């Protein structure tokens, strides 16, 4: 089954790039919006798509839903992916017992910053609530925590974001999963989400400081889980 792994930041993806022999792959396109695409020399049919960097400053990754949607379009329409995996970092919650380095396998994804209070139907659309793909045995086998994932386009938050996150019962706050899930759901494509905690949203330390301080540690935890999981469950047989 052709599979695409979508990740936002190159820092998070470095171990995947080396472990799976990922080399740059270019699509013929006039569009200047460029995600970074890789294909695996070890597993033909396995692709990595990064959100890519901001043209005005190459050190800035285009985190968030816009680049995640383009990555999903590339995966489905141009690469023919039949399964998508979204892996990356997220904020966790002390009130839910999370700590830095915890790794979640998502069961559902929501939007906490898309609000359209016109009617119940519009509100349901805005909230999202997409089902993610998982098998029950994966939690124990790969030491994943069970999680609901909430998506918005800011690293920090306003109070209303947190109200909705708590209303959903979400465990991880990040910036891409629901956008990818929205497109996958309409296309009947299974989406697996794996998120590693870099910062504790209700822990009292400014998110950007905690995020930068823990990015390496959380990325290491993420790649340990991801490499084992991909190697044993996904990259098997002919893709
Ligand atoms: N990625 C890592 N930590 C995050 C947070 N607190 N909010 C959004 N995205 C994140």
């Amino acid at each position: 089954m052709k599979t695409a792994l979508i990740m936002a930041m190159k820092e998070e993806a470095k171990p995947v790039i080396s472990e799976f022999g990922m080399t740059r792959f270019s699509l013929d396109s006039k569009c200047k919006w460029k995600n970074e695409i890789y294909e695996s020399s070890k597993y033909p049919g396995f692709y990595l798509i990064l959100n890519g960097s901001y043209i005005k400053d190459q050190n800035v990754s285009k985190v968030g839903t816009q680049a995640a949607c383009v990555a999903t379009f590339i995966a489905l329409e141009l690469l023919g992916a039949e399964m998508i995996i979204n892996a990356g970092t997220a904020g966790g919650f002390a009130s839910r017992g999370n700590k830095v380095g915890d790794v979640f396998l998502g069961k559902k994804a929501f939007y906490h910053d898309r609000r359209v209070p016109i009617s119940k139907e519009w509100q349901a659309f805005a909230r999202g609530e997409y089902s993610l793909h998982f098998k029950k045995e994966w939690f124990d086998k790969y030491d994943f925590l069970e999680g609901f994932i909430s998506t918005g386009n800011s690293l920090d938050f306003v109070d209303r974001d947190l109200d909705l996150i708590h209303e959903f019962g979400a465990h991880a706050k990040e910036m891409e999963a629901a956008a990818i899930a929205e497109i996958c759901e309409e296309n009947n494509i299974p989406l697996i989400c794996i998120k590693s905690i870099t910062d504790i949203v209700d822990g009292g330390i400014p998110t950007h400081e905690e995020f930068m301080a823990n990015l390496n540690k959380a990325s290491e935890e993420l790649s340990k889980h991801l490499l084992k999981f991909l190697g044993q469950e996904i990259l098997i047989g002919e893709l």
Side-chain angles (χ1 to χ4, degrees):
M1 190 185 277
K2 273 194 177 178
T3 300
L5 171 62
I6 297 178
M7 299 180 82
M9 297 173 70
K10 202 167 192 168
E11 290 86 335
E12 297 164 343
K14 275 187 185 143
V16 173
I17 293 174
S18 60
E19 178 71 16
F20 297 116
M22 293 289 186
T23 55
R24 276 302 282 273
F25 179 86
S26 67
L27 286 168
D28 201 16
S29 157
K30 290 201 186 95
C31 180
K32 288 210 167 55
W33 180 285
K34 294 263 190 291
N35 291 59
E36 264 180 46
I37 311 170
Y38 296 79
E39 92 182 307
S40 170
S41 54
K42 209 162 157 187
Y43 299 98
F46 177 49
Y47 300 93
L48 167 69
I49 311 174
L50 303 181
N51 280 14
S53 48
Y54 184 46
I55 290 177
K56 290 181 187 161
D57 186 341
Q58 298 294 310
N59 292 320
V60 175
S61 294
K62 289 181 291 190
V63 296
T65 56
Q66 293 82 351
C69 287
V70 178
T72 312
F73 175 83
I74 291 170
L76 301 185
E77 181 77 11
L78 305 177
L79 302 175
E82 299 157 278
M83 171 178 277
I84 303 229
I85 296 154
N86 171 226
T89 56
F93 295 87
S95 53
R96 298 189 155 270
N98 299 158
K99 49 187 194 327
V100 170
D102 282 351
V103 181
F104 283 92
L105 174 63
K107 295 171 88 174
K108 276 188 181 182
F110 307 82
Y111 289 107
H112 57 256
D113 71 349
R114 194 167 73 169
R115 298 184 282 270
V116 189
I118 296 176
S119 66
K120 270 190 183 162
E121 291 76 13
W122 283 92
Q123 271 174 309
F125 158 74
R127 164 191 168 103
E129 191 165 346
Y130 310 105
S131 293
L132 302 171
H133 182 70
F134 62 89
K135 289 188 182 165
K136 273 197 178 139
E137 66 262 28
W138 288 348
F139 293 101
D140 276 353
K141 194 168 171 192
Y142 300 102
D143 207 12
F144 289 130
L145 297 172
E146 299 188 24
F148 287 174
I149 297 173
S150 194
T151 300
N153 265 313
S154 298
L155 186 69
D156 65 2
F157 58 85
V158 294
D159 290 347
R160 186 75 184 118
D161 295 340
L162 278 200
D163 291 347
L164 287 174
I165 286 172
H166 292 312
E167 208 176 281
F168 302 152
H171 305 81
K173 170 181 176 285
E174 53 76 84
M175 300 176 72
E176 284 90 17
I180 301 169
E182 184 170 357
I183 300 169
C184 286
E185 186 175 275
E186 294 230 314
N187 286 283
N188 266 322
I189 294 286
L191 168 65
I192 298 170
C193 279
I194 300 173
K195 300 283 161 171
S196 167
I197 300 302
T198 42
D199 53 275
I200 302 300
V201 178
D202 52 358
I205 304 175
T207 300
H208 61 283
E209 285 174 20
E210 211 180 5
F211 173 78
M212 292 312 293
N214 294 321
L215 182 59
N216 285 345
K217 177 184 158 92
S219 298
E220 268 169 38
E221 278 307 315
L222 176 68
S223 55
K224 252 198 267 167
H225 284 72
L226 187 62
L227 297 181
K228 190 170 170 203
F229 171 73
L230 289 175
Q232 292 187 20
E233 299 291 339
I234 307 295
L235 303 175
I236 43 178
E238 204 170 304
L239 295 186

mmCIF file of all heavy atoms in Angstrom, residues 195-238:
data_model
loop_
_atom_site.group_PDB
_atom_site.id
_atom_site.type_symbol
_atom_site.label_atom_id
_atom_site.label_comp_id
_atom_site.label_asym_id
_atom_site.label_seq_id
_atom_site.Cartn_x
_atom_site.Cartn_y
_atom_site.Cartn_z
ATOM 1 N N LYS A 195 1.950 11.603 17.925
ATOM 2 C CA LYS A 195 2.405 12.911 18.404
ATOM 3 C C LYS A 195 3.182 12.778 19.710
ATOM 4 O O LYS A 195 2.728 12.107 20.642
ATOM 5 C CB LYS A 195 1.183 13.824 18.643
ATOM 6 C CG LYS A 195 0.335 14.062 17.400
ATOM 7 C CD LYS A 195 0.955 15.071 16.450
ATOM 8 C CE LYS A 195 0.380 14.958 15.061
ATOM 9 N NZ LYS A 195 0.775 16.012 14.146
ATOM 10 N N SER A 196 4.322 13.447 19.758
ATOM 11 C CA SER A 196 5.190 13.399 20.936
ATOM 12 C C SER A 196 5.142 14.765 21.646
ATOM 13 O O SER A 196 5.195 15.810 20.994
ATOM 14 C CB SER A 196 6.601 13.080 20.437
ATOM 15 O OG SER A 196 7.536 13.282 21.418
ATOM 16 N N ILE A 197 5.086 14.739 22.955
ATOM 17 C CA ILE A 197 4.853 15.975 23.725
ATOM 18 C C ILE A 197 6.163 16.749 23.977
ATOM 19 O O ILE A 197 7.113 16.213 24.556
ATOM 20 C CB ILE A 197 4.175 15.627 25.081
ATOM 21 C CG1 ILE A 197 2.824 14.933 24.838
ATOM 22 C CG2 ILE A 197 4.004 16.880 25.959
ATOM 23 C CD1 ILE A 197 1.820 15.702 24.020
ATOM 24 N N THR A 198 6.174 18.007 23.539
ATOM 25 C CA THR A 198 7.333 18.894 23.763
ATOM 26 C C THR A 198 7.111 19.849 24.930
ATOM 27 O O THR A 198 8.070 20.394 25.476
ATOM 28 C CB THR A 198 7.592 19.823 22.554
ATOM 29 O OG1 THR A 198 6.337 20.309 22.093
ATOM 30 C CG2 THR A 198 8.356 19.168 21.452
ATOM 31 N N ASP A 199 5.854 20.151 25.240
ATOM 32 C CA ASP A 199 5.581 21.207 26.222
ATOM 33 C C ASP A 199 4.253 20.927 26.905
ATOM 34 O O ASP A 199 3.393 20.248 26.351
ATOM 35 C CB ASP A 199 5.526 22.576 25.526
ATOM 36 C CG ASP A 199 4.565 22.577 24.363
ATOM 37 O OD1 ASP A 199 4.973 22.173 23.254
ATOM 38 O OD2 ASP A 199 3.388 22.936 24.568
ATOM 39 N N ILE A 200 4.138 21.464 28.105
ATOM 40 C CA ILE A 200 2.921 21.246 28.894
ATOM 41 C C ILE A 200 2.134 22.553 28.898
ATOM 42 O O ILE A 200 2.559 23.548 29.498
ATOM 43 C CB ILE A 200 3.286 20.789 30.335
ATOM 44 C CG1 ILE A 200 4.136 19.494 30.289
ATOM 45 C CG2 ILE A 200 2.043 20.585 31.177
ATOM 46 C CD1 ILE A 200 3.464 18.300 29.619
ATOM 47 N N VAL A 201 1.020 22.546 28.190
ATOM 48 C CA VAL A 201 0.260 23.775 27.936
ATOM 49 C C VAL A 201 -0.176 24.441 29.245
ATOM 50 O O VAL A 201 -0.105 25.663 29.370
ATOM 51 C CB VAL A 201 -0.976 23.445 27.051
ATOM 52 C CG1 VAL A 201 -1.819 24.688 26.811
ATOM 53 C CG2 VAL A 201 -0.537 22.837 25.718
ATOM 54 N N ASP A 202 -0.603 23.636 30.226
ATOM 55 C CA ASP A 202 -1.068 24.205 31.497
ATOM 56 C C ASP A 202 0.002 24.071 32.593
ATOM 57 O O ASP A 202 -0.322 23.990 33.775
ATOM 58 C CB ASP A 202 -2.386 23.542 31.944
ATOM 59 C CG ASP A 202 -2.301 22.025 31.968
ATOM 60 O OD1 ASP A 202 -1.238 21.477 31.596
ATOM 61 O OD2 ASP A 202 -3.275 21.373 32.365
ATOM 62 N N GLY A 203 1.282 24.072 32.166
ATOM 63 C CA GLY A 203 2.366 23.855 33.130
ATOM 64 C C GLY A 203 3.003 25.135 33.651
ATOM 65 O O GLY A 203 3.883 25.087 34.503
ATOM 66 N N GLY A 204 2.611 26.290 33.095
ATOM 67 C CA GLY A 204 3.113 27.566 33.612
ATOM 68 C C GLY A 204 4.367 28.086 32.927
ATOM 69 O O GLY A 204 4.762 29.224 33.170
ATOM 70 N N ILE A 205 5.023 27.294 32.075
ATOM 71 C CA ILE A 205 6.222 27.798 31.357
ATOM 72 C C ILE A 205 5.755 28.277 29.979
ATOM 73 O O ILE A 205 4.934 27.599 29.347
ATOM 74 C CB ILE A 205 7.277 26.667 31.179
ATOM 75 C CG1 ILE A 205 7.648 26.084 32.530
ATOM 76 C CG2 ILE A 205 8.504 27.162 30.423
ATOM 77 C CD1 ILE A 205 8.586 24.877 32.446
ATOM 78 N N PRO A 206 6.245 29.444 29.494
ATOM 79 C CA PRO A 206 5.815 29.890 28.166
ATOM 80 C C PRO A 206 6.076 28.802 27.105
ATOM 81 O O PRO A 206 7.173 28.225 27.053
ATOM 82 C CB PRO A 206 6.673 31.132 27.906
ATOM 83 C CG PRO A 206 7.072 31.612 29.268
ATOM 84 C CD PRO A 206 7.164 30.377 30.134
ATOM 85 N N THR A 207 5.055 28.511 26.301
ATOM 86 C CA THR A 207 5.119 27.376 25.364
ATOM 87 C C THR A 207 6.339 27.428 24.462
ATOM 88 O O THR A 207 7.023 26.426 24.257
ATOM 89 C CB THR A 207 3.838 27.344 24.497
ATOM 90 O OG1 THR A 207 2.720 27.202 25.365
ATOM 91 C CG2 THR A 207 3.853 26.200 23.517
ATOM 92 N N HIS A 208 6.640 28.625 23.901
ATOM 93 C CA HIS A 208 7.742 28.685 22.932
ATOM 94 C C HIS A 208 9.070 28.319 23.583
ATOM 95 O O HIS A 208 9.914 27.662 22.964
ATOM 96 C CB HIS A 208 7.802 30.064 22.257
ATOM 97 C CG HIS A 208 8.025 31.193 23.193
ATOM 98 N ND1 HIS A 208 7.029 31.704 23.989
ATOM 99 C CD2 HIS A 208 9.148 31.897 23.482
ATOM 100 C CE1 HIS A 208 7.526 32.697 24.722
ATOM 101 N NE2 HIS A 208 8.816 32.828 24.431
ATOM 102 N N GLU A 209 9.235 28.696 24.868
ATOM 103 C CA GLU A 209 10.501 28.349 25.561
ATOM 104 C C GLU A 209 10.594 26.847 25.788
ATOM 105 O O GLU A 209 11.614 26.212 25.523
ATOM 106 C CB GLU A 209 10.565 29.040 26.935
ATOM 107 C CG GLU A 209 10.864 30.514 26.836
ATOM 108 C CD GLU A 209 10.788 31.206 28.197
ATOM 109 O OE1 GLU A 209 10.871 30.527 29.248
ATOM 110 O OE2 GLU A 209 10.631 32.440 28.197
ATOM 111 N N GLU A 210 9.502 26.276 26.277
ATOM 112 C CA GLU A 210 9.507 24.840 26.578
ATOM 113 C C GLU A 210 9.618 24.019 25.287
ATOM 114 O O GLU A 210 10.309 23.005 25.237
ATOM 115 C CB GLU A 210 8.217 24.488 27.334
ATOM 116 C CG GLU A 210 8.399 23.350 28.294
ATOM 117 C CD GLU A 210 7.134 22.979 29.047
ATOM 118 O OE1 GLU A 210 6.056 23.544 28.774
ATOM 119 O OE2 GLU A 210 7.236 22.091 29.901
ATOM 120 N N PHE A 211 8.945 24.495 24.240
ATOM 121 C CA PHE A 211 8.984 23.804 22.948
ATOM 122 C C PHE A 211 10.421 23.730 22.434
ATOM 123 O O PHE A 211 10.911 22.665 22.079
ATOM 124 C CB PHE A 211 8.076 24.534 21.945
ATOM 125 C CG PHE A 211 8.175 24.004 20.550
ATOM 126 C CD1 PHE A 211 7.529 22.821 20.194
ATOM 127 C CD2 PHE A 211 8.937 24.658 19.586
ATOM 128 C CE1 PHE A 211 7.626 22.309 18.902
ATOM 129 C CE2 PHE A 211 9.046 24.157 18.299
ATOM 130 C CZ PHE A 211 8.385 22.977 17.954
ATOM 131 N N MET A 212 11.120 24.873 22.423
ATOM 132 C CA MET A 212 12.485 24.887 21.890
ATOM 133 C C MET A 212 13.421 24.057 22.768
ATOM 134 O O MET A 212 14.284 23.338 22.263
ATOM 135 C CB MET A 212 13.018 26.329 21.773
ATOM 136 C CG MET A 212 12.333 27.178 20.715
ATOM 137 S SD MET A 212 12.157 26.377 19.097
ATOM 138 C CE MET A 212 13.855 26.253 18.568
ATOM 139 N N ALA A 213 13.217 24.135 24.092
ATOM 140 C CA ALA A 213 14.106 23.397 25.002
ATOM 141 C C ALA A 213 13.936 21.883 24.842
ATOM 142 O O ALA A 213 14.894 21.124 25.044
ATOM 143 C CB ALA A 213 13.817 23.807 26.446
ATOM 144 N N ASN A 214 12.741 21.434 24.486
ATOM 145 C CA ASN A 214 12.472 19.982 24.475
ATOM 146 C C ASN A 214 12.314 19.380 23.089
ATOM 147 O O ASN A 214 11.995 18.194 22.966
ATOM 148 C CB ASN A 214 11.190 19.697 25.276
ATOM 149 C CG ASN A 214 11.376 20.024 26.739
ATOM 150 O OD1 ASN A 214 12.442 19.775 27.302
ATOM 151 N ND2 ASN A 214 10.359 20.593 27.363
ATOM 152 N N LEU A 215 12.504 20.206 22.048
ATOM 153 C CA LEU A 215 12.259 19.696 20.687
ATOM 154 C C LEU A 215 13.121 18.465 20.382
ATOM 155 O O LEU A 215 12.626 17.469 19.833
ATOM 156 C CB LEU A 215 12.489 20.817 19.659
ATOM 157 C CG LEU A 215 12.237 20.465 18.205
ATOM 158 C CD1 LEU A 215 10.792 20.003 17.984
ATOM 159 C CD2 LEU A 215 12.529 21.659 17.289
ATOM 160 N N ASN A 216 14.398 18.493 20.775
ATOM 161 C CA ASN A 216 15.270 17.349 20.472
ATOM 162 C C ASN A 216 14.837 16.104 21.218
ATOM 163 O O ASN A 216 14.731 15.028 20.638
ATOM 164 C CB ASN A 216 16.733 17.668 20.809
ATOM 165 C CG ASN A 216 17.332 18.581 19.773
ATOM 166 O OD1 ASN A 216 16.768 18.752 18.690
ATOM 167 N ND2 ASN A 216 18.447 19.209 20.112
ATOM 168 N N LYS A 217 14.570 16.264 22.515
ATOM 169 C CA LYS A 217 14.166 15.109 23.334
ATOM 170 C C LYS A 217 12.862 14.496 22.794
ATOM 171 O O LYS A 217 12.750 13.276 22.628
ATOM 172 C CB LYS A 217 13.982 15.566 24.791
ATOM 173 C CG LYS A 217 13.483 14.496 25.749
ATOM 174 C CD LYS A 217 13.250 15.115 27.130
ATOM 175 C CE LYS A 217 12.276 14.293 27.959
ATOM 176 N NZ LYS A 217 12.697 13.327 28.805
ATOM 177 N N ALA A 218 11.875 15.363 22.518
ATOM 178 C CA ALA A 218 10.577 14.853 22.041
ATOM 179 C C ALA A 218 10.724 14.232 20.653
ATOM 180 O O ALA A 218 10.073 13.218 20.349
ATOM 181 C CB ALA A 218 9.549 15.977 22.028
ATOM 182 N N SER A 219 11.602 14.809 19.812
ATOM 183 C CA SER A 219 11.798 14.248 18.469
ATOM 184 C C SER A 219 12.469 12.882 18.555
ATOM 185 O O SER A 219 12.164 11.973 17.780
ATOM 186 C CB SER A 219 12.645 15.185 17.604
ATOM 187 O OG SER A 219 11.985 16.407 17.450
ATOM 188 N N GLU A 220 13.389 12.731 19.522
ATOM 189 C CA GLU A 220 14.041 11.412 19.709
ATOM 190 C C GLU A 220 13.013 10.361 20.121
ATOM 191 O O GLU A 220 12.999 9.252 19.606
ATOM 192 C CB GLU A 220 15.089 11.492 20.817
ATOM 193 C CG GLU A 220 16.470 11.822 20.313
ATOM 194 C CD GLU A 220 17.401 12.140 21.472
ATOM 195 O OE1 GLU A 220 17.300 11.484 22.523
ATOM 196 O OE2 GLU A 220 18.203 13.082 21.310
ATOM 197 N N GLU A 221 12.135 10.727 21.080
ATOM 198 C CA GLU A 221 11.082 9.796 21.520
ATOM 199 C C GLU A 221 10.157 9.459 20.352
ATOM 200 O O GLU A 221 9.775 8.311 20.152
ATOM 201 C CB GLU A 221 10.250 10.409 22.662
ATOM 202 C CG GLU A 221 10.880 10.286 24.019
ATOM 203 C CD GLU A 221 11.280 8.858 24.388
ATOM 204 O OE1 GLU A 221 10.484 7.926 24.177
ATOM 205 O OE2 GLU A 221 12.401 8.691 24.877
ATOM 206 N N LEU A 222 9.821 10.506 19.602
ATOM 207 C CA LEU A 222 8.932 10.299 18.459
ATOM 208 C C LEU A 222 9.556 9.320 17.477
ATOM 209 O O LEU A 222 8.915 8.355 17.047
ATOM 210 C CB LEU A 222 8.672 11.650 17.760
ATOM 211 C CG LEU A 222 7.830 11.589 16.496
ATOM 212 C CD1 LEU A 222 6.392 11.205 16.833
ATOM 213 C CD2 LEU A 222 7.830 12.937 15.764
ATOM 214 N N SER A 223 10.827 9.550 17.144
ATOM 215 C CA SER A 223 11.416 8.688 16.111
ATOM 216 C C SER A 223 11.612 7.264 16.611
ATOM 217 O O SER A 223 11.430 6.318 15.854
ATOM 218 C CB SER A 223 12.694 9.283 15.542
ATOM 219 O OG SER A 223 13.577 9.548 16.556
ATOM 220 N N LYS A 224 11.921 7.091 17.924
ATOM 221 C CA LYS A 224 12.040 5.718 18.460
ATOM 222 C C LYS A 224 10.743 4.945 18.225
ATOM 223 O O LYS A 224 10.740 3.823 17.727
ATOM 224 C CB LYS A 224 12.291 5.797 19.982
ATOM 225 C CG LYS A 224 13.696 5.432 20.404
ATOM 226 C CD LYS A 224 13.739 5.118 21.874
ATOM 227 C CE LYS A 224 14.088 6.344 22.700
ATOM 228 N NZ LYS A 224 13.871 6.247 24.125
ATOM 229 N N HIS A 225 9.633 5.580 18.586
ATOM 230 C CA HIS A 225 8.323 4.934 18.438
ATOM 231 C C HIS A 225 7.963 4.751 16.964
ATOM 232 O O HIS A 225 7.496 3.698 16.550
ATOM 233 C CB HIS A 225 7.236 5.770 19.123
ATOM 234 C CG HIS A 225 7.224 5.657 20.608
ATOM 235 N ND1 HIS A 225 8.180 6.212 21.418
ATOM 236 C CD2 HIS A 225 6.359 5.035 21.443
ATOM 237 C CE1 HIS A 225 7.912 5.947 22.682
ATOM 238 N NE2 HIS A 225 6.801 5.229 22.726
ATOM 239 N N LEU A 226 8.198 5.809 16.216
ATOM 240 C CA LEU A 226 7.781 5.820 14.811
ATOM 241 C C LEU A 226 8.537 4.784 13.985
ATOM 242 O O LEU A 226 7.937 4.038 13.203
ATOM 243 C CB LEU A 226 8.030 7.235 14.261
ATOM 244 C CG LEU A 226 7.530 7.567 12.879
ATOM 245 C CD1 LEU A 226 6.012 7.434 12.822
ATOM 246 C CD2 LEU A 226 7.928 9.003 12.508
ATOM 247 N N LEU A 227 9.858 4.704 14.193
ATOM 248 C CA LEU A 227 10.663 3.789 13.380
ATOM 249 C C LEU A 227 10.260 2.341 13.654
ATOM 250 O O LEU A 227 10.114 1.534 12.740
ATOM 251 C CB LEU A 227 12.165 3.982 13.644
ATOM 252 C CG LEU A 227 12.732 5.360 13.275
ATOM 253 C CD1 LEU A 227 14.224 5.427 13.545
ATOM 254 C CD2 LEU A 227 12.445 5.737 11.836
ATOM 255 N N LYS A 228 10.056 2.024 14.942
ATOM 256 C CA LYS A 228 9.653 0.659 15.311
ATOM 257 C C LYS A 228 8.268 0.339 14.722
ATOM 258 O O LYS A 228 8.066 -0.701 14.087
ATOM 259 C CB LYS A 228 9.627 0.555 16.842
ATOM 260 C CG LYS A 228 9.458 -0.832 17.365
ATOM 261 C CD LYS A 228 9.702 -0.858 18.871
ATOM 262 C CE LYS A 228 9.292 -2.202 19.434
ATOM 263 N NZ LYS A 228 8.977 -2.150 20.854
ATOM 264 N N PHE A 229 7.340 1.264 14.913
ATOM 265 C CA PHE A 229 5.967 1.059 14.447
ATOM 266 C C PHE A 229 5.927 0.919 12.920
ATOM 267 O O PHE A 229 5.328 -0.018 12.379
ATOM 268 C CB PHE A 229 5.089 2.232 14.910
ATOM 269 C CG PHE A 229 3.717 2.230 14.318
ATOM 270 C CD1 PHE A 229 2.770 1.303 14.733
ATOM 271 C CD2 PHE A 229 3.354 3.146 13.336
ATOM 272 C CE1 PHE A 229 1.492 1.286 14.180
ATOM 273 C CE2 PHE A 229 2.088 3.142 12.788
ATOM 274 C CZ PHE A 229 1.153 2.219 13.207
ATOM 275 N N LEU A 230 6.581 1.825 12.225
ATOM 276 C CA LEU A 230 6.557 1.771 10.754
ATOM 277 C C LEU A 230 7.191 0.482 10.260
ATOM 278 O O LEU A 230 6.643 -0.200 9.395
ATOM 279 C CB LEU A 230 7.318 2.964 10.159
ATOM 280 C CG LEU A 230 6.667 4.334 10.287
ATOM 281 C CD1 LEU A 230 7.597 5.419 9.752
ATOM 282 C CD2 LEU A 230 5.346 4.379 9.531
ATOM 283 N N GLY A 231 8.343 0.147 10.854
ATOM 284 C CA GLY A 231 9.080 -1.042 10.414
ATOM 285 C C GLY A 231 8.283 -2.324 10.628
ATOM 286 O O GLY A 231 8.331 -3.251 9.809
ATOM 287 N N GLN A 232 7.517 -2.388 11.725
ATOM 288 C CA GLN A 232 6.826 -3.649 12.037
ATOM 289 C C GLN A 232 5.395 -3.717 11.507
ATOM 290 O O GLN A 232 4.853 -4.791 11.318
ATOM 291 C CB GLN A 232 6.817 -3.865 13.552
ATOM 292 C CG GLN A 232 8.219 -4.130 14.083
ATOM 293 C CD GLN A 232 8.202 -4.509 15.556
ATOM 294 O OE1 GLN A 232 7.198 -4.922 16.100
ATOM 295 N NE2 GLN A 232 9.337 -4.363 16.210
ATOM 296 N N GLU A 233 4.755 -2.556 11.306
ATOM 297 C CA GLU A 233 3.331 -2.605 10.945
ATOM 298 C C GLU A 233 3.022 -2.079 9.539
ATOM 299 O O GLU A 233 2.041 -2.499 8.932
ATOM 300 C CB GLU A 233 2.491 -1.757 11.926
ATOM 301 C CG GLU A 233 2.549 -2.211 13.361
ATOM 302 C CD GLU A 233 1.852 -3.559 13.615
ATOM 303 O OE1 GLU A 233 0.996 -3.971 12.803
ATOM 304 O OE2 GLU A 233 2.213 -4.193 14.621
ATOM 305 N N ILE A 234 3.816 -1.130 9.068
ATOM 306 C CA ILE A 234 3.407 -0.428 7.855
ATOM 307 C C ILE A 234 4.295 -0.779 6.656
ATOM 308 O O ILE A 234 3.809 -1.058 5.564
ATOM 309 C CB ILE A 234 3.421 1.108 8.074
ATOM 310 C CG1 ILE A 234 2.584 1.476 9.317
ATOM 311 C CG2 ILE A 234 2.923 1.856 6.844
ATOM 312 C CD1 ILE A 234 1.111 1.193 9.245
ATOM 313 N N LEU A 235 5.609 -0.788 6.879
ATOM 314 C CA LEU A 235 6.527 -0.984 5.746
ATOM 315 C C LEU A 235 6.839 -2.465 5.593
ATOM 316 O O LEU A 235 7.993 -2.896 5.699
ATOM 317 C CB LEU A 235 7.791 -0.148 5.961
ATOM 318 C CG LEU A 235 7.489 1.348 6.156
ATOM 319 C CD1 LEU A 235 8.735 2.124 6.489
ATOM 320 C CD2 LEU A 235 6.817 1.924 4.912
ATOM 321 N N ILE A 236 5.793 -3.234 5.360
ATOM 322 C CA ILE A 236 5.957 -4.675 5.231
ATOM 323 C C ILE A 236 5.284 -5.109 3.937
ATOM 324 O O ILE A 236 4.301 -4.503 3.528
ATOM 325 C CB ILE A 236 5.354 -5.440 6.445
ATOM 326 C CG1 ILE A 236 3.998 -4.845 6.816
ATOM 327 C CG2 ILE A 236 6.282 -5.407 7.647
ATOM 328 C CD1 ILE A 236 3.296 -5.535 7.951
ATOM 329 N N GLY A 237 5.850 -6.128 3.298
ATOM 330 C CA GLY A 237 5.277 -6.583 2.028
ATOM 331 C C GLY A 237 5.527 -5.543 0.944
ATOM 332 O O GLY A 237 6.326 -4.628 1.108
ATOM 333 N N GLU A 238 4.798 -5.683 -0.130
ATOM 334 C CA GLU A 238 5.000 -4.741 -1.241
ATOM 335 C C GLU A 238 4.123 -3.520 -1.032
ATOM 336 O O GLU A 238 2.927 -3.652 -0.786
ATOM 337 C CB GLU A 238 4.618 -5.425 -2.547
ATOM 338 C CG GLU A 238 5.293 -4.804 -3.733
ATOM 339 C CD GLU A 238 5.068 -5.661 -4.972
ATOM 340 O OE1 GLU A 238 5.415 -6.867 -4.934
ATOM 341 O OE2 GLU A 238 4.523 -5.116 -5.932
#
